[in-house]
């Protein structure tokens, strides 16, 4: 149980105290931390607490040190907020610079992460500044850089690295198909892809690497915390142990999970200046594994399984986005859009294809069963989730909702 970090006992509570008690939020929540002899005694910080607090209450530095304010996408309706100093942004950038993508001054990075309230675009920007790489700020979610324009820029500017959410890779691939652009041949300079911001199960990663013919490096983190883990060249997501202390708890937060077991990630930021967090319950499902990686890092491996709130309970089984991605992305024909609707005794899986495909419902249902999807599975193959013709127009992209729970 517990001992995820060699220096768990060495977490300096007085230094943490000094930092977090500078924010009005923690000043009122923790009163004084002198009474805590171990970090394990400090109360958890819940997402709802952060959502309810006013934005400046999380700030732990003088306003003059503020570099950025950010908000999460607010999938649940209410966004979570965070502050960053220049050094905080540089730390997030450094994590990307030293990830498996190994940015260098020969690189030209097309940043498709939105340059807006979300933080990843700015981390990539800082990674580029640190390594001398050039950037093309081809933000998603605006009308300046629609999908065909992104493909055009990638070819014309000889882009070497693409950075964006995994869904953008799927939408760009579909745009390329509509424009008869061969992804593997049209971008001879593209050497790798950096993704973040959405779950990337191993089979989704393998599928996208197959479609694009390039290696993909994933990042795990959040607006509130920064980059918690980065993928090395061997596909292992390593915890940034110098910047984060990670604990894993069962969802009720009553008991800690053992190494290798899946639970909710509880994060303490060790170096964040602007909005430090202590024992922050991320609501993300993760597991950690000891690592003696070929890349030379002995930092723990983090495996990410999506959000606990997305999980469906069917009979005595729980499945979430991870299991669904593993099943969908190992289909012989992967749909361009899909959605799972919870039903009384299972789920209705909607799959949309952009080209006519020969699908045998029985074979697909059998595939899902084999991939441990429980309950009664019904399939909808004629429903339009997403109008693929909009990709060629100047429409703004959005992150899809993959799981729809019963009300
Ligand atoms: Zn490694």
């Amino acid at each position: 149980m517990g001992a995820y970090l060699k220096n768990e006992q060495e977490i300096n509570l007085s230094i943490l105290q000094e930092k977090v008690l500078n924010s009005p939020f923690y000043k009122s929540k923790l009163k004084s931390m002198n009474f805590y002899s171990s970090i394990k005694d400090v109360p958890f910080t819940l997402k709802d607490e952060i959502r309810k607090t006013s934005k400046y209450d999380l700030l732990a530095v003088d306003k003059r040190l503020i570099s950025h304010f950010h908000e999460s996408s607010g999938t649940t309706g209410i966004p979570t907020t965070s502050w960053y100093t220049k050094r905080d942004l540089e730390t997030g950038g450094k994590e990307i610079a030293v990830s498996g993508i190994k940015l260098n001054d020969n690189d030209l990075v097309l940043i498709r992460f939105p340059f807006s309230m979300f933080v990843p675009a700015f981390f990539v920007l800082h990674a580029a500044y640190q390594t001398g790489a050039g950037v093309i700020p081809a933000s998603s979610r605006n009308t300046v850089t629609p999908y065909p324009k992104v493909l055009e820029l990638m070819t014309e500017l000889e882009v070497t690295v693409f950075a964006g959410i995994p869904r953008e890779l799927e939408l760009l691939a579909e745009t390329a198909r509509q424009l008869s652009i061969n992804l593997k041949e049209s971008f001879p300079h593209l050497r790798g892809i950096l993704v973040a911001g959405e779950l990337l199960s191993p089979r989704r990663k393998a599928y996208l690497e197959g479609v694009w013919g390039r290696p993909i490096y994933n990042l795990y983190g959040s607006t509130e915390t920064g980059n918690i883990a980065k993928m090395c060249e061997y596909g292992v997501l390593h915890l940034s142990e110098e910047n984060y202390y990670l604990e894993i708890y069962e969802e009720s937060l009553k008991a800690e999970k053992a190494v290798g077991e899946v639970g909710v990630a509880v994060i303490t930021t060790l170096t964040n200046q602007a909005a430090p967090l202590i024992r922050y319950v991320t609501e993300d499902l993760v597991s950690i594994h000891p690592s003696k990686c070929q890349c030379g890092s002995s930092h723990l491996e983090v495996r990410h399984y999506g959000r606990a709130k997305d999980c469906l309970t069917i009979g005595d089984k729980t499945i979430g986005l991870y299991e669904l991605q593993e099943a969908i992305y190992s289909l012989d024909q992967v749909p361009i859009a899909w959605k799972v609707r919870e039903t009384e005794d299972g789920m209705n899986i909607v799959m949309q294809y952009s080209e006519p495909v020969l699908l045998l419902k029985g074979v697909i249902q059998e595939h899902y069963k084999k991939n441990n999807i429980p309950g009664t599975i019904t399939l909808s193959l004629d429903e339009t989730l997403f109008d693929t013709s909009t990709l060629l127009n100047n429409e703004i992209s959005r992150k899809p909702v993959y799981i729809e729970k019963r009300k």
Side-chain angles (χ1 to χ4, degrees):
M1 296 282 279
Y4 300 157
L5 274 184
K6 280 182 228 87
N7 60 352
E8 179 182 322
Q9 301 309 320
E10 293 165 25
I11 286 189
N12 194 324
L13 270 182
S14 61
I15 289 182
L16 267 179
Q17 168 183 6
E18 212 173 294
K19 271 193 210 183
V20 302
L21 289 183
N22 283 325
S23 78
F25 170 73
Y26 277 114
K27 213 173 270 171
S28 109
K29 180 179 166 71
L30 299 176
K31 310 284 189 289
S32 162
M33 285 172 71
N34 291 330
F35 304 112
Y36 305 118
S37 57
S38 157
I39 189 163
K40 303 277 177 196
D41 299 328
V42 179
F44 293 112
T45 298
L46 304 177
K47 222 168 212 185
D48 266 352
E49 288 179 271
I50 302 253
R51 285 195 188 114
K52 279 177 194 154
T53 193
S54 70
K55 291 173 175 40
Y56 269 120
D57 279 354
L58 288 170
L59 185 67
V61 293
D62 189 280
K63 276 188 182 175
R64 286 174 303 176
L65 290 173
I66 294 171
S67 187
H68 281 209
F69 169 77
H70 284 287
E71 273 186 355
S72 74
S73 54
T75 348
T76 47
I78 312 160
T80 41
T81 63
S82 191
W83 298 95
Y84 287 85
T85 63
K86 183 159 174 276
R87 200 191 78 185
D88 290 338
L89 291 168
E90 284 166 356
T91 304
K94 186 174 157 234
E95 287 300 301
I96 291 172
V98 301
S99 75
I101 197 79
K102 301 209 183 322
L103 287 187
N104 62 72
D105 57 9
N106 288 313
D107 279 320
L108 201 47
V109 187
L110 184 134
I111 305 179
R112 184 63 168 162
F113 289 118
F115 277 84
S116 68
M117 300 305 277
F118 315 137
V119 75
F122 301 94
F123 283 151
V124 180
L125 195 62
H126 275 269
Y129 291 160
Q130 286 162 27
T131 55
V135 301
I136 300 150
S139 177
S140 64
R141 309 207 193 187
N142 68 49
T143 54
V144 182
T145 40
Y147 291 94
K149 168 93 177 173
V150 171
L151 294 174
E152 196 185 301
L153 288 170
M154 285 173 73
T155 307
E156 203 178 338
L157 301 178
E158 302 178 347
V159 164
T160 63
V161 173
F162 174 91
I165 68 167
R167 183 62 181 154
E168 288 298 305
L169 291 174
E170 295 166 5
L171 297 181
L172 281 167
E174 169 60 19
T175 309
R177 189 194 67 77
Q178 290 184 30
L179 296 171
S180 304
I181 293 170
N182 183 318
L183 284 184
K184 288 175 186 163
E185 290 167 8
S186 298
F187 314 109
H189 297 87
L190 186 68
R191 64 172 189 84
I193 293 166
L194 195 64
V195 296
E198 248 194 351
L199 182 66
L200 185 77
S201 82
R203 282 173 176 169
R204 188 184 196 191
K205 177 172 180 281
Y207 166 75
L208 287 172
E209 285 179 333
V211 168
W212 282 83
R214 306 292 192 288
I216 295 179
Y217 304 94
N218 193 15
L219 302 162
Y220 166 63
S222 69
T223 305
E224 309 90 278
T225 59
N227 279 332
I228 296 166
K230 68 218 174 253
M231 194 170 269
C232 73
E233 60 271 39
Y234 294 95
V236 174
L237 204 49
H238 290 287
L239 175 66
S240 169
E241 294 187 15
E242 57 276 38
N243 297 316
Y244 300 95
Y245 174 60
L246 170 61
E247 301 168 86
I248 299 173
Y249 275 77
E250 62 175 40
E251 264 186 77
S252 67
L253 299 175
K254 289 201 175 88
E256 205 163 350
K257 291 283 192 178
V259 168
E261 286 180 351
V262 181
V264 173
V266 176
I267 292 286
T268 295
T269 64
L270 300 175
T271 54
N272 286 16
Q273 293 179 316
L277 293 166
I278 189 160
R279 305 196 87 203
Y280 175 59
V281 182
T282 63
E283 299 178 3
D284 285 336
L285 293 174
V286 303
S287 63
I288 52 130
H289 307 262
S291 158
K292 272 187 189 159
C293 189
Q294 291 179 74
C295 74
S297 171
S298 58
H299 284 197
L300 291 165
E301 177 185 359
V302 180
R303 293 183 195 160
H304 176 212
Y305 303 91
R307 297 184 328 150
K309 284 193 171 160
D310 278 338
C311 287
L312 301 175
T313 304
I314 297 160
D316 56 357
K317 294 215 167 106
T318 301
I319 73 151
L321 192 54
Y322 182 90
E323 290 78 10
L324 290 168
Q325 281 194 1
E326 287 291 271
I328 298 260
Y329 288 98
S330 58
L331 283 164
D332 288 338
Q333 286 153 317
V334 174
I336 179 64
W338 61 275
K339 180 183 247 184
V340 163
R341 290 199 187 99
E342 187 181 17
T343 58
E344 205 172 326
D345 58 350
M347 62 185 75
N348 173 239
I349 305 180
V350 187
M351 299 196 296
Q352 180 192 335
Y353 289 86
S354 38
E355 284 180 300
V357 283
L358 180 65
L359 294 170
L360 299 168
K361 279 196 175 185
V363 175
I364 296 173
Q365 277 161 324
E366 194 53 35
H367 171 87
Y368 286 135
K369 288 279 168 218
K370 268 193 214 151
N371 280 275
N372 304 314
I373 304 299
T376 306
I377 299 163
T378 55
L379 299 173
S380 298
L381 302 172
D382 303 316
E383 198 176 317
T384 302
L385 294 170
F386 159 67
D387 178 2
T388 54
S389 71
T390 61
L391 291 169
L392 299 189
N393 305 332
N394 211 0
E395 289 221 4
I396 297 168
S397 53
R398 279 188 182 83
K399 226 173 173 177
V401 175
Y402 297 104
I403 298 174
E404 210 174 274
K405 288 193 171 192
R406 278 198 330 147
K407 296 277 184 293

